[in-house]
Amino acid sequence: MKVVNHIGYLRRSRRGRALKLDINLEAFLLADRFVTKDGREWVNMVVSIEKVLDVLEGKIPVAGICQLAGRTVGTEGTGIEAQA
């Protein structure tokens, strides 16, 4: 079963020249992680391209940043090992 965990928001800066990410610390710390062969730990997050474009075009003020938990990250050939 796929579970969508809300991690934060993406929005345009006031000048419109950058995208700002607001990440909820508690949600980030509870997020699923994976480890690369060099021992670095990563958190996989997703934002819909359609929503990013809507934010860039000013159609919506923010887009959600989520993690799709309960699914296996495709890591074949990347040097990445999924962490349990």
Side-chain angles (χ1 to χ4, degrees):
M1 180 166 93
K2 196 180 334 181
V3 177
V4 178
N5 296 326
H6 181 76
I7 305 287
Y9 295 99
L10 172 137
R11 61 189 171 91
R12 280 177 65 176
S13 65
R14 293 192 198 282
R15 290 182 162 182
R17 300 186 77 202
L19 289 174
K20 297 179 84 172
L21 304 175
D22 296 315
I23 306 296
N24 178 286
L25 180 59
E26 184 178 353
F28 183 80
L29 293 174
L30 294 173
D32 290 344
R33 301 157 196 268
F34 64 92
V35 178
T36 56
K37 286 186 179 181
D38 64 2
R40 292 184 183 208
E41 196 169 4
W42 298 85
V43 173
N44 185 18
M45 293 180 273
V46 177
V47 180
S48 162
I49 291 175
E50 185 177 314
K51 295 293 183 184
V52 171
L53 292 174
D54 287 346
V55 168
L56 289 173
E57 294 170 0
K59 293 179 182 176
I60 59 174
V62 298
I65 300 171
C66 300
Q67 181 180 65
L68 303 177
R71 69 186 269 256
T72 304
V73 178
T75 59
E76 300 80 26
T78 62
I80 297 171
E81 301 170 1
Q83 181 180 17

